[in-house]
Amino acid sequence: MQITVEFSGGLETAFDGNKKHVLDVPEGSSVNWLLHHMVETLMPDHKREEGKNIFLQDESVRPGVLVLINDSDWELEGEDQYILQPRDVIIFASTLHGG
Amino acid sequence: MDRSDSEKTDVLPMFKQEYGRYGRQMLVPEFGISGQLDLRSKRILVVGAGGLGSPAIQYLAGAGIGHITIIDDDTVEESNLHRQTIHAGNVNVPKSESAAEFVGKLNPCISVTPMVVRLSPSNSFSVFEGHDLVLDCTDGPAVRYLINDTAVLSGIPVVSASALKTEGQLSIYNYNGGPCYRCLFPIPPPADAVQTCGDGGIMGPVVGMMGMSQAMEAIKLLTGVYSESFTPFLMLYSAYNFPPWKSVKVRKRQKTCAACGDVPRISRQLIETGQVDYSEFCGSPSQVLLGEEHRITPEEYSKIVSTKHILLDVRERPQFDITSFPRSINIPWSELKHKEELDVQVDGSPVYVVCRYGNDSQNAVDKLQKLGIPSKDIKGGLYAWAKNVDEKFPIY
């Protein structure tokens, strides 16, 4: 099934620089599975070590990144245990601090 | 004047002049005269009179908020003016005073207090006292946590925004069952992941849009739009995306939150006595500091500039495009740090490394050392070069 992953707040620089990706994922996959799948498939080899640290910490998203499942905070949807559904849109929003 | 008119004048809730001044917004049914009277009785604190604060203050003053306090210890620089248009003609003036001067000129019906001090754990509670709402228009995680904690413990809601490059975010914290900043972000991001507008850049209208949205949300909140039901949200703006706006639902107040949870671990006393260490909590970026033998001053470099050598400029491409030394080679630090070999023919020539301020150039010399290429960094970067050697060199 297909899902869409989007980056906001500059997190795409940890990956290949694209803000939007359409991914084919197996049915029944959790968001936790998706996090690791993204590191393995969307990060260029030479950036993986650093990119992983920008994206993940202690096996979940790093502090300062909000995960939004279909325009809703993942805290309202079961966090990383949420089971992905066809056509889901998952946004990884890194907080901004400038002003 | 007949009798009914004079009776009405005696009980007018505003000065006659204010009817004319605020007429256009009082015509709007969602707002009306009751909205105007609400705003007139309110006091707002704006922390930061920069990219967010400038437009927010302009529109809040125009709308007729009874009192605006502006706190900022910074002075206006020329590099602020593309986005902080409130400060027209006021380079080198303290930002809070410059902004207050504008407020006084725009709307003599309201009062304004500029404070040329930095918000700190020792003054935050007294600064916040007596305000109905705080606008977080600051530019770093440490001060954002301080504003949040003080607001939670003072029972004041916060309209918070931020912006960088082409994107902005806005949220309301500590209001009507919604989250505080710590509920959403219990742990600060790693310091290396935090960029300021001075490093990453900022489009003026992007941060302007966010500041103006803060003013609109402040007006809605102060006139009771969210008092009955409030769905906590985060607004995301991305100027180069289509559609550029998105609003998402976020979590409610978290019972486990250190600031606003059922068993808070942060108190006024802990903040005021410095036991909540905000700068340590948020950390500082990792930085290699080289020994003197790996460094050269801009003055020393100016003496060898015409001898055979390689000058490596490790600034990001947009910066290199703005201005650079002739014959310098650009490999941005963000790329260099991933390299396993340098695709530049060194053949025994001395290698010098330069950047904007002399921080990344030290990281780069350290990295080149590991690749087996000895090099030296130019202390203080192009900024120091322009200041100490060549005053014609443009700095940005």
Side-chain angles (χ1 to χ4, degrees):
Chain A
M1 63 181 192
Q2 282 196 332
I3 63 155
T4 303
V5 165
E6 291 180 26
F7 298 114
S8 167
L11 212 52
E12 66 276 7
T13 57
F15 293 85
D16 64 358
N18 290 320
K19 285 193 176 184
K20 193 171 171 178
H21 296 270
V22 177
L23 302 181
D24 251 318
V25 302
E27 275 183 42
S29 311
S30 68
V31 171
N32 182 276
W33 175 88
L34 176 68
L35 299 178
H36 297 278
H37 180 70
M38 287 166 65
V39 169
E40 281 153 32
T41 59
L42 295 182
M43 271 183 199
D45 291 346
H46 69 282
K47 281 170 87 173
R48 189 161 299 132
E49 201 174 323
E50 191 203 29
K52 200 178 159 185
N53 289 331
I54 294 176
F55 186 51
L56 301 181
Q57 187 173 311
D58 301 330
E59 301 304 304
S60 192
V61 286
R62 71 134 165 96
V65 175
L66 285 183
V67 185
L68 306 166
I69 299 171
N70 301 323
D71 292 348
S72 195
D73 187 348
W74 76 342
E75 197 272 343
L76 303 167
E77 307 287 339
E79 300 200 356
D80 67 347
Q81 298 308 305
Y82 172 85
I83 302 299
L84 295 166
Q85 306 296 317
R87 292 180 300 283
D88 272 352
V89 178
I90 315 292
I91 301 175
F92 295 90
S94 171
T95 43
L96 306 174
H97 300 90
Chain B
M1 200 184 283
D2 68 28
R3 196 170 165 271
S4 65
D5 263 4
S6 74
E7 263 180 10
K8 214 174 169 190
T9 307
D10 286 341
V11 295
L12 279 186
M14 298 194 289
F15 291 112
K16 183 164 175 279
Q17 182 196 355
E18 296 179 277
Y19 286 80
R21 172 175 286 270
Y22 304 126
R24 296 300 182 275
Q25 66 192 26
M26 291 194 296
L27 289 174
V28 177
E30 286 86 344
F31 186 75
I33 188 162
S34 67
Q36 196 62 57
L37 294 173
D38 277 341
L39 293 193
R40 201 175 179 273
S41 68
K42 303 295 188 204
R43 296 169 55 90
I44 282 195
L45 170 67
V46 180
V47 186
L52 295 163
S54 301
I57 291 163
Q58 288 180 308
Y59 280 83
L60 290 171
I65 305 286
H67 179 86
I68 304 175
T69 304
I70 304 164
I71 180 169
D72 196 319
D73 69 332
D74 221 356
T75 50
V76 179
E77 288 177 30
E78 199 158 357
S79 67
N80 302 143
L81 296 177
H82 81 110
R83 63 192 189 281
Q84 302 172 24
T85 57
I86 198 173
H87 301 307
N90 278 347
V91 170
N92 293 328
V93 175
K95 287 185 179 179
S96 51
E97 288 178 354
S98 164
E101 179 193 318
F102 175 92
V103 173
K105 276 190 209 159
L106 183 73
N107 192 349
C109 299
I110 64 171
S111 60
V112 58
T113 309
M115 297 181 76
V116 190
V117 289
R118 196 174 189 77
L119 191 76
S120 71
S122 55
N123 68 18
S124 64
F125 285 91
S126 57
V127 171
F128 276 41
E129 207 180 311
H131 292 90
D132 299 287
L133 177 67
V134 173
L135 257 59
D136 184 345
C137 301
T138 62
D139 61 358
V143 66
R144 287 179 183 277
Y145 281 102
L146 172 64
I147 289 172
N148 179 71
D149 297 350
T150 309
V152 166
L153 292 163
S154 308
I156 305 173
V158 180
V159 177
S160 175
S162 56
L164 186 70
K165 296 179 183 177
T166 62
E167 297 186 313
Q169 298 171 348
L170 180 149
S171 231
I172 294 176
Y173 295 121
N174 195 36
Y175 185 70
N176 204 358
C180 80
Y181 190 61
R182 277 189 197 267
C183 293
L184 276 182
F185 307 109
I187 304 169
D192 285 330
V194 176
Q195 268 196 323
T196 66
C197 295
D199 305 329
I202 179 71
M203 292 304 290
V206 168
V207 67
M209 186 93 78
M210 300 319 295
M212 239 184 265
S213 303
Q214 279 179 288
M216 190 63 235
E217 290 304 314
I219 290 170
K220 286 161 70 181
L221 192 149
L222 291 176
T223 56
V225 170
Y226 294 126
S227 62
E228 272 178 30
S229 85
F230 172 63
T231 305
F233 65 90
L234 170 70
M235 246 158 66
L236 303 159
Y237 175 65
S238 179
Y240 287 71
N241 258 20
F242 185 81
W245 283 106
K246 184 182 270 292
S247 204
V248 299
K249 246 169 90 172
V250 296
R251 66 198 70 173
K252 295 189 165 62
R253 182 184 76 92
Q254 301 290 291
K255 288 182 181 145
T256 54
C257 177
C260 73
D262 291 348
V263 190
R265 298 184 291 287
I266 290 167
S267 68
R268 176 169 182 167
Q269 200 212 345
L270 288 175
I271 294 172
E272 288 185 331
T273 54
Q275 290 175 77
V276 184
D277 189 333
Y278 289 94
S279 15
E280 198 201 309
F281 181 56
C282 296
S284 42
S286 49
Q287 170 68 53
V288 169
L289 295 172
L290 296 174
E292 286 304 314
E293 67 278 19
H294 300 295
R295 313 197 68 188
I296 176 171
T297 65
E299 291 86 343
E300 287 163 345
Y301 180 72
S302 72
K303 290 182 190 127
I304 56 100
V305 70
S306 51
T307 64
K308 186 168 185 266
H309 69 281
I310 288 169
L311 179 63
L312 186 63
D313 187 326
V314 295
R315 293 173 300 152
E316 296 304 307
R317 293 235 155 70
Q319 298 193 39
F320 187 77
D321 290 344
I322 293 173
T323 181
S324 64
F325 276 113
R327 288 179 297 282
S328 57
I329 300 164
N330 182 218
I331 305 178
W333 167 238
S334 62
E335 292 172 25
L336 178 63
K337 65 178 158 192
H338 299 297
K339 287 196 187 293
E340 271 150 42
E341 56 185 314
L342 195 67
D343 33 8
V344 172
Q345 208 63 37
V346 177
D347 59 349
S349 305
V351 178
Y352 298 99
V353 185
V354 72
C355 67
R356 191 177 178 194
Y357 295 122
N359 295 323
D360 281 347
S361 57
Q362 295 188 70
N363 292 328
V365 167
D366 184 60
K367 167 77 183 185
L368 290 173
Q369 194 78 33
K370 287 171 187 152
L371 297 178
I373 303 164
S375 61
K376 287 185 177 185
D377 103 288
I378 299 177
K379 273 189 185 176
L382 294 172
Y383 190 83
W385 174 264
K387 214 171 143 209
N388 303 339
V389 177
D390 179 7
E391 60 178 31
K392 290 204 190 86
F393 194 85
I395 50 173
Y396 53 90

